[in-house]
Amino acid sequence: MFIHVWGKSLRDGSANLFGIRRHSDLSLCSVKALELYIAISSALSLDLLSGYLFRPLSSSGKIQNKQIANSTLQSRLRSYLQEAKIYNGETLHSFRTGLAITLALSG
């Protein structure tokens, strides 16, 4: 379960609680990946209870408690898709739009 407190759509201090379903194939399960991320963060004594869940590194490799830049996320997405040889100009925004359409069609 996640509590979305602030972002593009929640600017008045309200919160939005949502859950993520487990996938039967653990290699595709985002919940399993998040559990692993949280376990590794805990082993590194990184408190994820406050601040940002995903945090950037400084140029010296230190974990920072600040938001990851959109350009960094976009660059990573592009490099992962290019490495998989499936890049066709996708953007973070196209994933968000595609998800909304998929959810509308599956509902």
Side-chain angles (χ1 to χ4, degrees):
M1 299 298 286
F2 288 90
I3 299 175
H4 176 223
V5 178
W6 193 88
K8 282 191 168 244
S9 59
L10 294 174
R11 298 197 187 275
D12 64 354
S14 62
N16 186 14
L17 180 66
F18 66 96
I20 299 175
R21 223 179 248 179
R22 290 183 182 274
H23 194 282
S24 58
D25 182 345
L26 293 181
S27 67
L28 299 174
C29 184
S30 56
V31 174
K32 188 68 178 169
L34 285 168
E35 288 173 341
L36 178 60
Y37 177 76
I38 290 168
I40 292 170
S41 297
S42 178
L44 295 172
S45 299
L46 178 61
D47 178 19
L48 295 177
L49 295 176
S50 61
Y52 296 97
L53 179 60
F54 302 107
R55 302 169 187 186
L57 298 176
S58 68
S59 58
S60 65
K62 184 177 177 184
I63 298 169
Q64 299 176 312
N65 188 19
K66 66 181 203 176
Q67 184 177 6
I68 297 175
N70 191 47
S71 60
T72 301
L73 296 173
Q74 180 62 47
S75 176
R76 291 250 177 103
L77 172 65
R78 183 176 41 255
S79 68
Y80 294 149
L81 294 176
Q82 286 174 336
E83 186 176 324
K85 298 184 181 5
I86 56 173
Y87 178 69
N88 289 310
E90 293 85 357
T91 65
L92 292 172
H93 184 48
S94 64
F95 273 85
R96 192 170 76 203
T97 303
L99 176 61
I101 292 168
T102 301
L103 290 174
L105 293 174
S106 66

